[in-house]
Amino acid sequence: MERHNSPASASHSQVIEVNIDIDPDRGTSSFPPISNPSPTSNNKACRGGTCDLSYSKDSPERWDSMRKLVITVVLCIVFMTVEVIGGIKANSLAILTDAAHLLSDVAAFMISLFSLWAAGWEATPRQSYGFFRIEILGALVSIQMIWLLAGILVYEAIVRLIHDNGEVKGFLMFAVSAFGLVVNIIMALLLGHDHGHAHGHGHDHGHGHGHGHGHEHTHDHGHSHGHEHMHGHGHEHEHEDQEHDHDHEANSITTKHHHGHSHNNDMKESLIKKGNKKPKRNINVHSAYLHVLGDSIQSIGVMVGGAVIWYKPEWKIIDLICTLIFSVIVLLTTIRMLRNILEVLMESTPREIDATQLEKGLCAMDGVVAIHELHIWAITVGKVLLACHVTIAPDADADRVLDEVIGYIRRDFNISHVTIQIERQ
Amino acid sequence: MQEKKDAMFSYQFPDGDRRLAFSRQSSFRHSHWDPPLPSPSSTPIPLMPRSHSFKPHLARSDSAVGLPLLDNSGHKDATWVALILAPVRGVANGSRPMKRLALMISLNVAYSMVELLLGLFTGRVGLVSDAFHLTFGCGILTFSLFAMGISRKKPDETYTYGYKRLEVLAAFTNALFLLFLSFSLAVEALHAFMQDESEHKHYLIVSAVTNLLVNLLGVWFFRSYARVNIVYWKPEDMNYHSVCLHVLADSIRSAGLILASWFLTLGVENAEVLCLGIVSVAVFMLVLPLFKATGSILLQIAPSNIHPSAFNKCSRQIASLEEVLEVSQARFWELVPGYSIGSLSVQVKKGVHEDRILQHVNGLYNDLGIQDLTVQIDYE
């Protein structure tokens, strides 16, 4: 899928799109239309065959994410077995409880892995938009589990409060939760420090598309190979992503092109709403990361509680208060992701698209009289679709207007799945 | 357009005629309530309001309070404040199922508070755990209630398809919670199997009985939805069904606990394990169809009430028109049960007038049940 717009037209509103397809075999339509088995070449709705609505199975970013998650799962299982054996030998409920928490971690990772894998399935006529939504539902289930676990932890703190017969050993609690904390930190490092990017080293838009290097965090964009998102972030990010160097050789072609076009990104950036601070990372890895983060925060809380009980066994209420505070912190970390999930599931206009500006831009085109029934929605974070009805003047050329509209939407707002119904006044 | 939107937003109650009693009361409320605030919304206040038209109340409070908060993101966080300010009003003007649900939730919350305090003071862990479980369930039910309330809002700029999806989401959350419940019951059964002491069941009888009574009241409220497999005609169906299954599952669990205690006193060995295991399996089987149905809507699966061969037939019919070269990219999905949306792309020969084709295609798919269709006509 290669398209070179002429640099001469690189004026205020155009972005030069260099779509280098790393895997040339991806060009065939993996998205079968219902009644027509062969891909259409004249179909304006979907230039170049593949509609990006399902992965090719051999996209490297996806495999990278899966590999990371698999390593993390294996590590988690190992730690969990260690804890279970130790807990049975020492006959301590606290250690077994922590092992159960690790088990829940494993469950969350399994959900993420499954979502990642399932998102690569080919679209079927029944599931015509591909399987990307599974990611979102998997993340929702993960987050509900986090909430459930926070509740269980608070319950355990209350139980510790009630059991006044001193069978709670502060030291043991402290030691076990410290071990759990170390394990969680190791896993957080393994999953990659996504959080670093959120704080905006430099400019945010660079970040949002910084992962376009075929980073494992943007598996879900076929165009991560250097499609529309590559606003010249190549040079900005070389020094940050040391650990992801292994991806670069696959994308060396795109990296070179990035440098040439870095100056065009400034224009484009102003068109997409400034609120686009959220880097487009893999939602599954991110939800697994949130899970691990939540667990480490809770481990800290339990450690503090254990230390308190160890030091002064009569101050049990502090343990409960600590646990409550830390549980609330954990819940707060999930709020942002929950909001994103909710917005996608409600089919609302994604935050990064400015619908009013899109409408204004469309109405300003010649031939267009009115726009109605404009619906913009996302299948998953980052994949946006649009459908609308455009009323044109009775004498306008429907074909030309259609081309212009689709081109405008695709260039300026990066929405590739567009369905426009042209009606004459 | 307005009729279509009305059709989308109207609903019927499971018990028919008592609506009239409501509407008479509501008209009193309306006349008292001659609004001091001007209504910026375009919804006219009907003279003889049907019970559905509590909408203006909610819409007024929303738009009047929400307006100063309206920045570019008309997102949910802006309307949160409005809804926190007027939840009581919203429920008071809500539909009958909403009121019943609110009643049940308040009963549950009160009961769990009492249990929690009792458990803390008397030092009984079982009461505390039961209180926690109840509180979680109440939280989920409150989400369902919230979904019922907010789903009547008209579609706005950010939520171009309206808020009805939230009901499906609430039903999904309920189903998910019930799945977790069945899983945790299975774990509890396993735990009881490995441990041989079962002393903690005895003093839970009183709480289990009270729990059972409250939940049975809830089942009675939603009795028309107390089935496992339901055909969903409207989005509220899913929500009500999920609430009903929730209280049903809770009552089954309480009944199971009571039975287990009774069997224990009769001297049956491992009664707990058996009862808990049966309850866990029962809840799982109960909730699975709902989970699948809500999941398939959230996953954008093609509308389940339309057979896939019907879609093929339609596209073949369109492709057989002489001006049409081919039909492609036909995708359909359900927004909520009863409202399906689709988009497709039609390639036609040059110079064909699009109105005829549009009408024909729309007519064909409307017959299938797809209300909202966007057709892109590409000229060759």
Side-chain angles (χ1 to χ4, degrees):
Chain A
M1 217 158 61
E2 239 177 318
R3 241 183 314 149
H4 286 274
N5 291 338
S6 84
S9 56
S11 57
H12 59 288
S13 63
Q14 273 206 1
V15 167
I16 303 210
E17 295 169 319
V18 178
N19 305 321
I20 308 281
D21 211 0
I22 303 255
D23 183 0
D25 289 337
R26 278 175 70 218
T28 56
S29 163
S30 54
F31 186 89
I34 290 183
S35 59
N36 197 346
S38 63
T40 64
S41 51
N42 277 339
N43 196 346
K44 291 183 185 133
C46 206
R47 268 183 228 273
T50 175
C51 298
D52 272 343
L53 271 188
S54 60
Y55 289 144
S56 151
K57 286 217 167 48
D58 34 325
S59 56
E61 312 84 31
R62 217 171 115 249
W63 282 127
D64 266 331
S65 308
M66 284 182 78
R67 204 183 57 200
K68 264 192 176 177
L69 277 177
V70 165
I71 293 178
T72 322
V73 168
V74 165
L75 226 82
C76 215
I77 293 183
V78 163
F79 280 134
M80 188 178 75
T81 6
V82 163
E83 271 201 353
V84 164
I85 295 178
I88 293 182
K89 279 231 175 104
N91 206 5
S92 154
L93 193 60
I95 301 183
L96 285 175
T97 319
D98 209 49
H101 280 198
L102 275 184
L103 182 68
S104 76
D105 265 357
V106 169
F109 291 150
M110 290 296 195
I111 292 177
S112 292
L113 255 182
F114 172 72
S115 304
L116 252 185
W117 175 61
W121 292 341
E122 303 273 324
T124 68
R126 216 174 144 243
Q127 184 99 33
S128 41
Y129 289 100
F131 287 88
F132 289 101
R133 268 297 167 87
I134 295 191
E135 284 183 351
I136 305 280
L137 282 189
L140 184 65
V141 171
S142 269
I143 290 196
Q144 263 212 316
M145 272 176 61
I146 295 180
W147 283 57
L148 204 68
L149 287 177
I152 291 181
L153 209 66
V154 171
Y155 163 69
E156 282 173 8
I158 294 186
V159 165
R160 278 201 293 271
L161 189 68
I162 291 179
H163 273 156
D164 291 317
N165 35 9
E167 48 179 59
V168 180
K169 303 185 193 99
F171 174 65
L172 193 59
M173 243 175 73
F174 184 83
V176 167
S177 49
F179 176 64
L181 182 66
V182 166
V183 165
N184 278 322
I185 290 183
I186 294 178
M187 290 198 293
L189 286 177
L190 264 180
L191 287 175
H193 18 257
D194 290 6
H195 59 281
H197 302 299
H199 302 316
H201 304 259
H203 214 23
D204 282 315
H205 77 278
H207 273 289
H209 314 293
H211 306 283
H213 286 289
H215 219 255
E216 54 274 278
H217 302 296
T218 52
H219 73 291
D220 48 350
H221 307 295
H223 50 261
S224 64
H225 291 290
H227 289 200
E228 300 92 28
H229 276 278
M230 36 118 302
H231 306 299
H233 38 250
H235 52 286
E236 290 174 15
H237 288 266
E238 309 278 8
H239 53 284
E240 290 176 16
D241 302 342
Q242 313 89 336
E243 67 202 73
H244 306 295
D245 281 338
H246 57 274
D247 291 331
H248 280 290
E249 70 274 8
N251 298 309
S252 53
I253 308 172
T254 57
T255 320
K256 293 203 189 72
H257 283 273
H258 289 196
H259 291 277
H261 303 293
S262 58
H263 55 279
N264 286 319
N265 60 358
D266 303 312
M267 314 302 178
K268 168 103 183 249
E269 167 203 345
S270 57
L271 285 176
I272 297 191
K273 212 159 98 155
K274 272 302 187 168
N276 181 16
K277 292 192 184 296
K278 182 173 61 68
K280 293 196 164 77
R281 60 182 139 227
N282 184 351
I283 199 175
N284 291 310
V285 175
H286 187 49
S287 86
Y289 177 77
L290 266 186
H291 204 100
V292 167
L293 186 71
D295 259 7
S296 13
I297 293 180
Q298 280 171 349
S299 293
I300 296 179
V302 173
M303 264 171 68
V304 170
V308 161
I309 292 184
W310 180 26
Y311 179 58
K312 277 227 172 165
E314 55 270 13
W315 282 359
K316 281 202 181 140
I317 191 95
I318 296 203
D319 173 32
L320 177 61
I321 296 177
C322 263
T323 315
L324 275 174
I325 294 177
F326 281 100
S327 295
V328 166
I329 295 180
V330 166
L331 294 185
L332 285 179
T333 59
T334 62
I335 292 262
R336 198 160 144 229
M337 179 171 235
L338 203 60
R339 197 186 56 184
N340 291 335
I341 292 178
L342 214 66
E343 284 170 8
V344 169
L345 286 179
M346 292 277 291
E347 321 284 346
S348 71
T349 312
R351 271 170 195 260
E352 60 255 20
I353 309 275
D354 191 353
T356 24
Q357 190 168 37
L358 191 139
E359 231 181 297
K360 279 197 210 127
L362 282 183
C363 285
M365 286 186 173
D366 59 323
V368 171
V369 171
I371 311 273
H372 58 272
E373 293 269 349
L374 175 68
H375 293 294
I376 311 177
W377 50 281
I379 290 195
T380 175
V381 177
K383 287 206 161 333
V384 185
L385 291 87
L386 185 149
C388 81
H389 296 200
V390 174
T391 314
I392 62 177
D395 54 346
D397 179 11
D399 212 18
R400 185 188 56 82
V401 174
L402 188 65
D403 269 343
E404 268 187 35
V405 164
I406 294 186
Y408 169 69
I409 295 177
R410 207 168 271 172
R411 272 193 327 264
D412 290 353
F413 294 91
N414 222 2
I415 306 175
S416 51
H417 289 91
V418 177
T419 312
I420 310 280
Q421 177 165 316
I422 304 261
E423 300 162 352
R424 263 177 230 279
Q425 205 170 24
Chain B
M1 197 46 173
Q2 188 58 36
E3 309 82 52
K4 185 159 86 158
K5 288 223 170 103
D6 277 346
M8 200 170 138
F9 288 113
S10 72
Y11 48 81
Q12 295 141 18
F13 299 122
D15 341 294
D17 279 322
R18 280 179 252 174
R19 279 187 292 173
L20 294 179
F22 258 115
S23 62
R24 248 172 266 134
Q25 285 184 355
S26 80
S27 68
F28 273 131
R29 241 181 254 142
H30 259 285
S31 51
H32 277 320
W33 253 86
D34 247 3
L37 355 119
S39 158
S41 71
S42 55
T43 326
I45 303 173
L47 278 176
M48 186 42 119
R50 305 164 298 154
S51 40
H52 310 336
S53 60
F54 294 124
K55 241 180 303 176
H57 264 290
L58 200 56
R60 258 209 309 281
S61 65
D62 271 352
S63 52
V65 182
L67 241 129
L69 299 168
L70 209 66
D71 38 342
N72 265 336
S73 66
H75 278 273
K76 250 181 153 195
D77 10 54
T79 54
W80 263 120
V81 181
L83 280 162
I84 287 178
L85 282 183
V88 180
R89 216 187 317 160
V91 169
N93 297 334
S95 61
R96 166 176 261 149
M98 263 180 80
K99 292 196 185 163
R100 290 174 156 179
L101 185 58
L103 177 68
M104 246 174 41
I105 291 178
S106 28
L107 271 178
N108 268 329
V109 166
Y111 176 58
S112 87
M113 283 290 127
V114 166
E115 247 195 332
L116 183 66
L117 290 172
L118 264 181
L120 278 178
F121 284 143
T122 60
R124 288 188 161 154
V125 179
L127 285 177
V128 173
S129 82
D130 205 38
F132 260 82
H133 169 87
L134 214 53
T135 314
F136 250 108
C138 279
I140 308 263
L141 285 180
T142 314
F143 181 51
S144 282
L145 183 67
F146 172 69
M148 280 186 214
I150 203 178
S151 77
R152 287 177 297 172
K153 280 179 72 154
K154 296 275 191 199
D156 58 24
E157 214 178 68
T158 332
Y159 292 92
T160 52
Y161 283 115
Y163 291 84
K164 289 264 161 178
R165 253 293 171 96
L166 202 60
E167 304 224 29
V168 178
L169 194 59
F172 180 75
T173 316
N174 254 324
L176 201 59
F177 172 74
L178 287 182
L179 281 180
F180 282 159
L181 177 72
S182 106
F183 184 65
S184 88
L185 282 176
V187 166
E188 226 179 289
L190 204 66
H191 187 70
F193 182 65
M194 296 200 303
Q195 273 186 354
D196 295 299
E197 307 121 61
S198 46
E199 79 299 283
H200 55 279
K201 282 297 174 270
H202 294 277
Y203 55 76
L204 277 181
I205 286 296
V206 175
S207 83
V209 168
T210 326
N211 210 2
L212 182 65
L213 287 177
V214 173
N215 283 318
L216 281 181
L217 180 70
V219 174
W220 172 253
F221 279 162
F222 288 94
R223 59 189 175 280
S224 55
Y225 290 95
R227 285 170 13 221
V228 181
N229 276 310
I230 291 190
V231 180
Y232 303 106
W233 296 115
K234 309 179 302 283
E236 295 88 25
D237 279 347
M238 274 194 169
N239 212 357
Y240 298 155
H241 189 212
S242 76
V243 169
C244 185
L245 283 186
H246 184 117
V247 284
L248 196 62
D250 248 349
S251 41
I252 291 180
R253 175 177 160 269
S254 307
L257 289 181
I258 297 176
L259 264 183
S261 285
W262 184 47
F263 283 161
L264 276 179
T265 56
L266 286 185
V268 178
E269 297 249 328
N270 283 334
E272 265 185 333
V273 181
L274 214 63
C275 284
L276 282 178
I278 292 180
V279 167
S280 156
V281 169
V283 168
F284 185 77
M285 312 278 324
L286 213 58
V287 95
L288 208 57
L290 176 71
F291 183 70
K292 278 195 200 156
T294 47
S296 68
I297 287 191
L298 290 178
L299 284 179
Q300 323 265 131
I301 291 186
S304 44
N305 48 343
I306 303 176
H307 200 265
S309 64
F311 284 125
N312 284 337
K313 193 163 88 110
C314 261
S315 25
R316 270 200 307 268
Q317 269 185 313
I318 298 175
S320 67
L321 290 178
E322 62 162 282
E323 307 96 11
V324 174
L325 291 175
E326 69 182 316
V327 177
S328 59
Q329 307 220 326
R331 303 178 204 162
F332 303 95
W333 53 287
E334 263 181 296
L335 176 70
V336 285
Y339 193 80
S340 308
I341 303 176
S343 75
L344 77 155
S345 182
V346 178
Q347 278 236 305
V348 298
K349 298 189 185 147
K350 255 202 207 317
V352 173
H353 203 68
E354 59 266 341
D355 271 351
R356 219 165 52 81
I357 300 189
L358 276 182
Q359 273 184 16
H360 188 76
V361 172
N362 269 314
L364 273 180
Y365 280 104
N366 269 336
D367 289 339
L368 274 190
I370 313 277
Q371 282 90 337
D372 197 337
L373 191 68
T374 312
V375 181
Q376 176 164 312
I377 298 190
D378 295 323
Y379 293 95
E380 189 192 5

